[in-house]
Amino acid sequence: MSTDATGDYDERVTEEITVTVNGEEVTAEVEPRLKLSDFLRNECGLNGVRVGCEHGVCGACTVEQDGRTVKSCLSYAVQADGAEIETVEGLTDEAESEDGSLHPIQEAFHETHALQCGFCTSGFVMATKELLEENPDPTREEIEEGLADNICRCTGYQNIYEAVERAAEEMRE
């Protein structure tokens, strides 16, 4: 990379990455500074990945990378090269491939009215997925702790916790 006489960069630096997103391999040229959240939203068209605080505090950007939740606004796309990423849209695809319905977590959030504006919902759903994979029968305290990295400014959390309890029960059956 070099600069011209004005000090501006005269060529963009990019790196090729290959990521499996919701089961589909995606190869793209990205700038090293591109956030994973922006890559998923803008390059992959996955608008369920929300960008709220851009500091990793709110959890709206939560996705699963190689089986663990990550705040995609804190990660660069180049760091995900070779990784498997699952977003909230991937959960719907899993459920639809079976019988056309929502994933049990999504259904529980819908049934218990665990959302109002919906901005934070995808992050809560992905955090719930990880929680229930690790602990299929969590107590209310474990649910609160498992979702502590996500913020909802609308609901007061009661219905969110009820949704997790309902999803856990449904997924155990």
Side-chain angles (χ1 to χ4, degrees):
M1 178 169 54
S2 61
T3 59
D4 63 17
T6 65
D8 292 332
Y9 291 106
D10 58 4
E11 60 183 77
R12 290 176 40 169
V13 175
T14 62
E15 292 186 35
E16 183 178 275
I17 63 168
T18 300
V19 184
T20 302
V21 181
N22 297 331
E24 294 187 29
E25 190 172 282
V26 176
T27 300
E29 288 284 329
V30 299
E31 292 184 34
R33 65 187 176 147
L34 181 69
K35 298 289 187 172
L36 179 58
S37 55
D38 295 329
F39 172 76
L40 294 169
R41 289 181 59 81
N42 302 327
E43 303 296 324
C44 300
L46 299 169
N47 294 322
V49 179
R50 309 280 196 226
V51 179
C53 67
E54 297 190 62
H55 298 294
V57 176
C58 73
C61 67
T62 302
V63 299
E64 200 169 83
Q65 180 175 328
D66 293 329
R68 301 294 303 172
T69 56
V70 298
K71 307 287 180 64
S72 63
C73 74
L74 295 180
S75 303
Y76 293 106
V78 294
Q79 292 174 303
D81 188 25
E84 289 191 28
I85 306 290
E86 185 172 29
T87 69
V88 71
E89 291 93 345
L91 291 181
T92 301
D93 290 344
E94 284 177 18
E96 286 177 351
S97 67
E98 294 173 17
D99 66 1
S101 63
L102 294 173
H103 187 280
I105 296 170
Q106 294 167 314
E107 186 66 33
F109 271 70
H110 172 73
E111 290 174 358
T112 61
H113 308 286
L115 57 109
Q116 285 182 16
C117 80
F119 192 84
C120 67
T121 305
S122 56
F124 272 102
V125 167
M126 296 307 294
T128 298
K129 180 179 184 280
E130 181 180 58
L131 171 66
L132 296 181
E133 285 173 347
E134 293 177 359
N135 182 356
D137 191 16
T139 64
R140 177 59 69 99
E141 185 176 295
E142 291 168 330
I143 292 169
E144 291 174 13
E145 184 177 316
L147 301 181
D149 287 342
N150 294 71
I151 295 172
C152 176
R153 292 175 174 90
C154 300
T155 65
Y157 299 94
Q158 184 64 32
N159 290 357
I160 294 172
Y161 300 149
E162 289 174 11
V164 176
E165 291 167 341
R166 178 176 267 181
E169 183 179 326
E170 185 70 28
M171 292 170 71
R172 283 193 310 271
E173 291 177 0

